[in-house]
Amino acid sequence: AQSVSQHNHHVILSEAASLELGCNYSYGGTVNLFWYVQYPGQHLQLLLKYFSGDPLVKGIKGFEAEFIKSKFSFNLRKPSEQWSDTAEYFCAVSFGYSTLTFGKGTMLLVSP
Amino acid sequence: DTGVSQNPRHKITKRGQNVTFRCDPISEHNRLYWYRQTLGQGPEFLTYFQNEAQLEKSRLLSDRFSAERPKGSFSTLEIQRTEQGDSAMYLCASSLVPTNSGNTIYFGEGSWLTVV
């Protein structure tokens, strides 16, 4: 069955530290890849997406993600964290033209 | 603001009662999705519509759940004879029909259900 795995359920960082959140999926066919963020008390918002082309995609607020097809991965990165990045981050994959399958999420806490 | 609106935002109901949630998608979007999210989990797919047609239903959608999108615009999700295990956030989302270029799904703020 198709699935999405996020490696860390909770991450705690200090401001200015770099961030990398792991995401792996299981499916050998065409995929569309997404990272969503949910700030406290707010709805899911799209951070970035990959459909095709350059495997390094840039999103809002300085986030980027790299699609590595051979590793079935789509890790999220940011070089310097801010306190305002405290939120829950979800990796999501659509397999072929199907609906989105989400990972369980990673709660990120950035301490000032 | 994503443009997908849901109401009510919060609902507390007694076990055994019926509840209905409404979703208004982004106006030009012909696909509408329902997801459920519980604490500590990512959103789980329940069902989706393309225009009026309900094209896919998850095994999570028991017989007590029914979703409709009668005119291809707004949708309702009804839960009959609610159980405590139904307590969750019910998320609605919408998108255009996917193309070779992919599509982006936009989420509403969700409707919190608490069954007591």
Side-chain angles (χ1 to χ4, degrees), chain A residues 43-112:
Chain A
H43 60 276
L44 281 167
Q45 299 174 40
L46 182 67
L47 261 184
L48 48 77
K49 60 190 177 186
Y50 171 81
F51 293 156
S52 64
D54 188 344
L56 183 63
V57 292
K58 295 190 184 299
I60 60 172
K61 304 187 181 187
F63 287 92
E64 65 179 31
E66 185 175 13
F67 171 46
I68 303 180
K69 190 174 182 179
S70 60
K71 294 185 177 180
F72 301 92
S73 71
F74 189 56
N75 291 354
L76 181 70
R77 300 195 292 250
K78 185 172 179 179
S80 178
E81 278 298 301
Q82 299 172 293
W83 175 81
S84 59
D85 292 328
T86 293
E88 191 158 19
Y89 292 80
F90 294 94
C91 179
V93 183
S94 68
F95 303 99
Y97 291 126
S98 72
T99 59
L100 285 177
T101 299
F102 282 83
K104 291 190 174 184
T106 298
M107 182 67 73
L108 172 66
L109 174 62
V110 181
S111 59

Side-chain angles (χ1 to χ4, degrees), chain A residues 9 32 34 36 38 41-46 49 51-52 88 90 94 96-105, chain B residues 1-2 31 33 35 37 40-43 45 48 56 89 91 98-109:
Chain A
H9 288 292
N32 294 327
F34 306 81
Y36 284 85
Q38 192 167 27
Q42 296 189 28
H43 60 276
L44 281 167
Q45 299 174 40
L46 182 67
K49 60 190 177 186
F51 293 156
S52 64
E88 191 158 19
F90 294 94
S94 68
Y97 291 126
S98 72
T99 59
L100 285 177
T101 299
F102 282 83
K104 291 190 174 184
Chain B
D1 184 6
T2 63
R31 280 205 174 176
Y33 309 81
Y35 281 78
Q37 186 177 14
Q41 300 292 322
F45 170 72
Y48 88 92
E56 188 176 343
M89 167 85 89
L91 293 167
T99 66
N100 289 336
S101 303
N103 74 321
T104 300
I105 297 176
Y106 296 91
F107 285 83
E109 295 183 326

Side-chain angles (χ1 to χ4, degrees), chain A residues 20-47:
Chain A
E20 181 159 0
L21 300 182
C23 173
N24 286 89
Y25 63 91
S26 61
Y27 184 69
T30 302
V31 291
N32 294 327
L33 301 158
F34 306 81
W35 277 96
Y36 284 85
V37 61
Q38 192 167 27
Y39 297 102
Q42 296 189 28
H43 60 276
L44 281 167
Q45 299 174 40
L46 182 67
L47 261 184

Side-chain angles (χ1 to χ4, degrees), chain B residues 4-7 21-25 32 34 73-76 92-93:
Chain B
V4 179
S5 65
Q6 294 186 243
N7 65 81
F21 300 111
R22 176 181 169 124
C23 172
D24 288 89
L32 185 149
W34 285 99
S73 55
F74 74 92
S75 174
T76 57
C92 178

